[in-house]
Amino acid sequence: MTKYVYYPGCTLYTKARSLDQCARKAAEKVGFELTEMPSWNCCGAIYNATNDDLAAQVGSVRNLAKASQIGNKLVTLCAACHNVLKRVQNRLDAPGNEVQSERLKTFVDEEFVQPVRVLHYLEVLKQDIGFEAIKSKVVKPLAKLKVASYYGCLMVRPREVLEFDDPENPRVMDDLMRVLGAEPTRFDFKAECCGGYLVVNRRDVAKGASQKILDNAKEWGAEAIVTTCPLCQYNLDKLRATTDGCLPVFYFTQLLGVAVGLGQGELGLDHNSGDPVGFLKSKGLL
Amino acid sequence: MATAYSSAELLDQIEALSGQAVSDCYQCGCCTSGCPIGEAMDPPPSKAIRLLQLGRAADLLDSDGIWMCASCMVCGTRCPRGVDYARIAEACRALILRSKLSRVDPDTVAAPELEEIPQQAFIAAFRKSSV
């Protein structure tokens, strides 16, 4: 079984445990293993886009250096960690940025042993495992569940750095959902911003942005939404006025877990608002 | 914003910090029309850049709009001139924060919200908006 060095990040250890737990267990079902990187630290939570602020990059630089001492790939799951690590890596390697890069590397006092490629879990599934191989591991097809795949900002932008998918119409999660037996819906707001960290001090603005996303998913007939970002999941799931009759907002790893046969107790469904257990039962998935 | 700098000096600093040239913008408005926070953002991206083009950097630094940008990067992705407004807003915020004026005070976030909002959001909000 192929082993990958895995960077969970802070949020996946606490408020987004179900994203992490399902991912680790589902990985073993589809044929790879996530080995948690030892002594990792916070990635910095958000990328600092000013040209001169090196201190904000240090956390990620240290993680990348530590990872390079173990392997040449670092797997992420949280969209924010992925975005930050990938952009800091890009900044370190950017032509013309050698002086800053050297300063940062000297500061963290950790040796860079080899180039590290930051890979999202979805990229491992698609590129290394292959969706066809995953199809053969599906024991509980998702019963043509109509799923809107929500990518948000951090997985797809900036396009030239993330190199993940089409920033206007990403499809990786849609393709995965199809392989798992779900029916991906059209979704115009799949890469629109949920309001992100504005929830901290402008909850009203984040609520408005999130509601538009939910409304659009519903308009296209979605029965559920999947995402890979703890903050998107929170904003979509928790800012709405009521969860009665609303779309459940799952981590994609939860539906992956269902499809590859994880038990109800392994899905972390107590995290989601409303009645996710009842919903999945009504679809014959639990 | 109380500042010792002229608008021209502020513009120099904003361009240096953001790596963006405001004169590249031809005011098509693509950024503003695609901005998911646009209706709550005053001024929205294209107007903010226009203020800079007109030598009114100090007015932009005084505005609420630069704090509304969630760094979602839609504007920069779609800009036909390759101007990344998210970076310009970041530079404006940095100029203010470096003058020790926090926008979001960690001490005033309410307790129930501390319990439930993912910590990634807190660190992100404080990184973007606090000294």
Side-chain angles (χ1 to χ4, degrees), chain B residues 1-130:
Chain B
M1 178 197 169
T3 171
Y5 297 106
S6 69
S7 260
E9 287 167 329
L10 287 173
L11 178 58
D12 283 346
Q13 292 185 39
I14 292 167
E15 291 197 323
L17 281 178
S18 66
Q20 309 298 304
V22 301
S23 58
D24 283 351
C25 167
Y26 54 29
Q27 289 289 310
C28 69
C30 192
C31 48
T32 296
S33 63
C35 178
I37 312 293
E39 58 198 59
M41 190 185 288
D42 182 22
S46 54
K47 282 193 176 179
I49 296 172
R50 190 67 183 140
L51 281 177
L52 295 177
Q53 291 174 335
L54 294 174
R56 292 173 57 188
D59 289 340
L60 181 59
L61 292 183
D62 271 336
S63 77
D64 186 52
I66 53 174
W67 303 97
M68 285 292 107
C69 170
S71 308
C72 84
M73 297 165 284
V74 161
C75 51
T77 301
R78 293 181 184 168
C79 176
R81 298 285 294 151
V83 180
D84 189 346
Y85 178 69
R87 280 181 180 268
I88 293 175
E90 180 93 316
C92 292
R93 290 191 299 262
L95 283 178
I96 292 172
L97 297 176
R98 287 172 194 185
S99 66
K100 305 292 179 201
L101 298 167
S102 289
R103 183 71 170 195
V104 180
D105 181 354
D107 292 335
T108 63
V109 177
E113 287 155 17
L114 277 176
E115 290 293 315
E116 52 175 23
I117 299 175
Q119 58 266 55
Q120 186 269 332
F122 288 111
I123 308 296
F126 299 151
R127 280 261 163 119
K128 294 290 184 193
S129 305
S130 306

